[in-house]
Amino acid sequence: MGEWVMRAATAADIEPVAELRAVVMRADLERLGRYDERRVRQRLRANFEPAHTWVIEVGGAFAGCVALRPVEGALWLEHFYLAPHHQGSGIGSAVLRALLEPCDREATPVRLNVLRGSAARRLYERHGFVCEAEDPVDVFMVREPVRAESVRP
């Protein structure tokens, strides 16, 4: 795993994030018959909130992003994209652990949705997310906070 950092996103990050989303989601969206080259970028642009988003950099270069947005007594994990050449290197797991640790300390559940059949679901399951509901396109998952006293060394 390379050296990675997360920095606060800015409005200027919207286009690199939209492009990464289009690349990362293409295969799954095509498999589901839902890929639209313009719509995949526009959905990101319409929902991009820099205040709740971090950019992931590896060696000082843009490598991905992730957002954690407050919603109704929980946090919503979204826009978690990592450039294909960084996938499988452990960076995604490290980023997810860094985001989930404060959620555990603050006893905050985390919710997300992932496309049906996406390999990302396995990453989320390894970190304690469980399926709450499914529809023809999405799997909705939740992770309840892990209590510190229940963790054994």
Side-chain angles (χ1 to χ4, degrees), residues 50-133:
H52 302 295
T53 306
W54 293 269
V55 168
I56 303 161
E57 295 180 340
V58 176
F62 175 80
C65 67
V66 64
L68 202 55
R69 178 176 49 87
V71 59
E72 302 172 13
L75 291 171
W76 193 266
L77 180 71
E78 59 191 353
H79 308 308
F80 192 6
Y81 312 120
L82 196 58
H85 61 281
H86 289 297
Q87 293 176 11
S89 68
I91 293 171
S93 286
V95 167
L96 200 48
R97 276 192 305 274
L99 291 172
L100 294 174
E101 286 173 9
C103 298
D104 289 342
R105 282 194 308 274
E106 297 166 15
T108 305
V110 179
R111 298 181 181 286
L112 60 82
N113 68 293
V114 62
L115 292 172
R116 287 183 77 135
S118 172
R121 180 176 177 171
R122 290 189 303 275
L123 169 70
Y124 298 131
E125 288 172 337
R126 284 194 309 268
H127 290 274
F129 286 86
V130 296
C131 177
E132 228 178 3

